[in-house]
Amino acid sequence: MHFYSHPRFQDHCMGPGHPECPERLVAIEQALKTQALWPRLNHQQAKPVDLSLLRLTHTEDLLHRLESPVSDGAYAFIDPDTCMNTQTYEAILLASGAVLQAIDAVMAGESRHAFCAVRPPGHHAERESAMGFCFVNHIALGALYARQKHGVERVAVIDFDVHHGNGTEDILANEKGVLMVSSFQQGIYPGSGTRPRGQNMVNVPLQAGAGSQAIRLMLKNHWLPALQEFQPQLLLISAGFDAHREDPLAGLAWTDDDYALITDALVGLADTFCPNRIVSSLEGGYCLDALGRSVAVHIASLLSPSHKAV
């Protein structure tokens, strides 16, 4: 299994005390080493995305604004919660590049699944707007890239971040050959998702406090039937871990085991329709300890040859 990272991801910073911080990647590395998963991964260094590919998902105006230089030691604010430093633009290009490299690897049969330990995240970035800690949308780009570059007829996007992936929905709504299934806590940022914007969207809003039983019902009644009918040839996961009960930014009650449950279900489905074609990319997750543990169980499930029944 390929694991994509790059030291420059940790140079992007939105300021002291910001939850989307460089320490997130340190926590993931430490947890993977503690669980003896680190040596089992095929470590790959991310490379920057070709700038022309970003036009598949974003407007020239947005891309131009992101390219604008930031003074050394300063921050350029996109919104009150989202800003750039001098290293952000390079991190953006590396993060999208990692996802496309991972897609190339699984499509070529070079990797049994892939995880991209990247930042900044991407699923709130809309076609025309950066927002919510996100600047460009790595997974939406991956879906369109897989269709264009590899001729994949059916790409499924799965988003289990606690916040609705409004950017991914904005870009992929009614996109031919793409299905998006998602879950999120209803009523919190960004306040969207209750009414899907396209017929290819399966959104499952959850109430605060929802835990394992709600996850099982979501999988059984919504996600898996839609995915089985769609018969995807590639799974792309927006892997946010901020639905964890220890996370400070939301109010769901998920546990480490719940992330294993979801991942096992998705790997089981992929084994039927698209063996070894899963690319997962980091989105949210802001309690460092819970983030590290949750990513570790997610990766352990991606590595495992057997999967639990839902």
Side-chain angles (χ1 to χ4, degrees), residues 242-295:
D242 41 6
H244 199 285
R245 64 186 179 189
E246 296 173 26
D247 198 279
L249 297 193
L252 295 186
W254 294 17
T255 67
D256 304 10
D257 290 343
D258 291 328
Y259 289 108
L261 172 70
I262 294 171
T263 311
D264 285 348
L266 294 176
V267 174
L269 180 126
D271 284 348
T272 299
F273 297 108
C274 49
N276 301 330
R277 290 183 178 177
I278 298 178
V279 172
S280 180
S281 184
L282 180 66
E283 300 283 1
Y286 306 104
C287 172
L288 297 182
D289 187 49
L291 172 64
R293 299 193 321 263
S294 298
V295 171

Side-chain angles (χ1 to χ4, degrees), residues 54-60 62-63 125-127 136-137 171:
L54 293 178
R55 297 185 179 93
L56 291 173
T57 49
H58 297 290
T59 62
E60 291 284 357
L62 173 60
L63 298 177
E126 298 184 343
R127 187 173 294 277
V136 303
N137 198 308
I171 295 167

Side-chain angles (χ1 to χ4, degrees), residues 181-195:
V181 303
S182 69
S183 65
F184 50 91
Q185 184 178 330
Q186 187 170 1
I188 64 171
Y189 184 91
S192 56
T194 302
R195 294 182 180 179

